[in-house]
Amino acid sequence: MSGERVEVVTGASPHEIRNPETRREIRRAAVWLGMASAIAMVVLLIQPLLIIFAGLVFAALLDGGVRLLGRALPIGRGWRLLIVCLLTVAFLAATFYIAGVQITEQVNQLRSTVEVQGARIAGWLVQQGLIPGANDLTSLAREALSSVGRLTSWVGTAFGALTTMFMIMVIGLFVAIDPNVYDRGLQWMVPEDNRREFALTIRAMGKTLRRLLAGRLVGMAAEGVLVGVALALAGVPMALILGILTGLLAFIPNVGAFIAGALTIAVGFSAGVHTGFAAIGIYVAVQLFDGYVVIPMVAKRAVDLPPALTLGTQILASALFGILGLALADPMTALIKTAMERRSEQVDDEDAAATEAL
């Protein structure tokens, strides 16, 4: 058996394509087919992809705290991450321990107040003929809710929301523990000639995301504290929960401020006309202070995104991906903007090198 000669067939096989133009067209078709398949996969897997992206955003937030703590404590990264996590948990536990009962009561009171004020406004608009009647409104709301995608319906349930938050936190924690492992994995997926530029782009995008989140946290803290204290001094009911909601909604520019303002004004007018006008004044004053003092100071070190671009991205993301897309629209825009700027700088450098060579 071992002495038998093996006959190897030479030459092209009958099904081999020898024409260079045909092979080139097949490669082009394969590229387009691959792009179409990738788009289809993104559409089908948009829910887990958004959860993974939210986990990366949370990881960038933890990484920013670890880097900031590293300036004061020269200890290992794991210990700094543990300190950041413990401080976060301690802050949340202390907040709910001190004001947990009050927050719970004000949440229930806020829900009933908003429902009553919303019914009054809707009734007045119906009387003026500005909107359809109650039956038409119910049918329109039912149609609007039925048109929302799978992501919104999945995240909309309490169990789904808790599961989503848990997965986001777990993914973010694992990535923040050792981000270099995942960075190397991404670089291995890129051709070797382009890995250096890819690594620089990823580094720039990570820096941009950390700055954006740091600016958002400063803005959230400033708006939440100012609104809560000012409403309490003005005698507006539920000042604590309104301050907390304003701070949380400040993470979503433009849309978050509008929702927080609507809630504040509705609660203010529920306590009286004078209190309602006081709530309007507080909302306007806080927004002016935030727009002319806080945002310019933060924008020097954070990412300066055009408001129209941010709002347009939020509209598209909320329509396509639901509430989670709305919350992540700003980080998406910042990362895409950074990648495009990096690519533009690379093209300019290549053009300058070509000009010098000539």
Side-chain angles (χ1 to χ4, degrees):
M1 295 292 293
S2 60
E4 295 181 0
R5 296 182 59 185
V6 177
E7 182 179 356
V8 179
V9 179
T10 59
S13 62
H15 64 272
E16 183 177 355
I17 300 174
R18 309 287 292 181
N19 191 342
E21 295 183 359
T22 305
R23 300 179 69 172
R24 184 165 55 251
E25 292 300 325
I26 291 176
R27 284 197 295 267
R28 291 180 179 177
V31 171
W32 285 106
L33 181 61
M35 292 179 61
S37 301
I39 294 174
M41 290 296 293
V42 169
V43 173
L44 294 175
L45 300 176
I46 189 61
Q47 174 183 310
L49 289 177
L50 282 177
I51 293 176
I52 293 173
F53 180 72
L56 296 179
V57 172
F58 183 65
L61 186 62
L62 294 176
D63 185 63
V66 170
R67 291 172 181 266
L68 182 63
L69 193 62
R71 299 179 180 180
L73 296 177
I75 56 179
R77 177 183 177 85
W79 292 106
R80 282 181 281 149
L81 179 61
L82 179 61
I83 293 175
V84 171
C85 294
L86 291 177
L87 289 177
T88 303
V89 173
F91 172 75
L92 295 176
T95 301
F96 282 99
Y97 177 77
I98 295 174
V101 177
Q102 186 178 0
I103 290 174
T104 304
E105 293 177 353
Q106 291 189 5
V107 166
N108 296 327
Q109 187 180 357
L110 177 64
R111 182 179 60 183
S112 60
T113 301
V114 170
E115 290 177 355
V116 172
Q117 294 296 92
R120 289 179 180 176
I121 295 174
W124 182 82
L125 292 176
V126 170
Q127 292 179 357
Q128 302 299 320
L130 298 176
I131 61 175
N135 295 329
D136 296 334
L137 284 176
T138 304
S139 62
L140 289 175
R142 192 172 300 166
E143 292 179 1
L145 290 176
S146 63
S147 64
V148 178
R150 293 179 304 165
L151 177 68
T152 305
S153 62
W154 187 78
V155 179
T157 61
F159 178 76
L162 292 175
T163 307
T164 301
M165 291 300 298
F166 177 75
M167 288 189 293
I168 290 173
M169 295 176 63
V170 169
I171 292 173
L173 185 60
F174 282 150
V175 174
I177 291 175
D178 192 2
N180 294 326
V181 174
Y182 306 96
D183 187 19
R184 289 195 300 268
L186 286 176
Q187 292 186 32
W188 284 337
M189 300 174 64
V190 178
E192 190 172 359
D193 296 337
N194 300 327
R195 286 181 184 174
R196 174 175 174 78
E197 183 60 31
F198 178 79
L200 293 175
T201 302
I202 292 295
R203 180 181 300 178
M205 293 171 68
K207 185 177 181 181
T208 299
L209 188 57
R210 288 193 298 270
R211 288 184 173 183
L212 175 67
L213 295 176
R216 287 289 179 267
L217 288 179
V218 173
M220 290 168 63
E223 288 194 30
V225 172
L226 289 175
V227 169
V229 173
L231 291 179
L233 294 177
V236 178
M238 295 169 281
L240 177 61
I241 190 62
L242 287 174
I244 294 175
L245 288 177
T246 301
L248 294 176
L249 291 172
F251 183 81
I252 308 174
N254 305 319
V255 178
F258 175 78
I259 297 175
L263 292 176
T264 301
I265 295 172
V267 173
F269 276 104
S270 68
V273 178
H274 297 288
T275 308
F277 282 109
I280 294 176
I282 291 171
Y283 171 74
V284 173
V286 170
Q287 292 302 317
L288 290 175
F289 179 79
D290 183 68
Y292 288 97
V293 179
V294 178
I295 291 181
M297 292 177 60
V298 172
K300 293 180 180 179
R301 295 184 175 273
V303 183
D304 190 10
L305 295 175
L309 175 62
T310 304
L311 183 58
T313 307
Q314 289 172 350
I315 294 173
L316 291 175
S318 61
L320 294 174
F321 311 134
I323 186 64
L324 191 57
L326 175 63
L328 298 175
D330 209 24
M332 289 182 188
T333 307
L335 294 182
I336 294 174
K337 179 174 178 288
T338 302
M340 295 178 65
E341 289 177 348
R342 179 65 191 175
R343 177 59 181 169
S344 178
E345 293 176 358
Q346 181 185 7
V347 172
D348 292 340
D349 294 340
E350 291 176 357
D351 292 343
T355 303
E356 292 179 358
L358 294 176

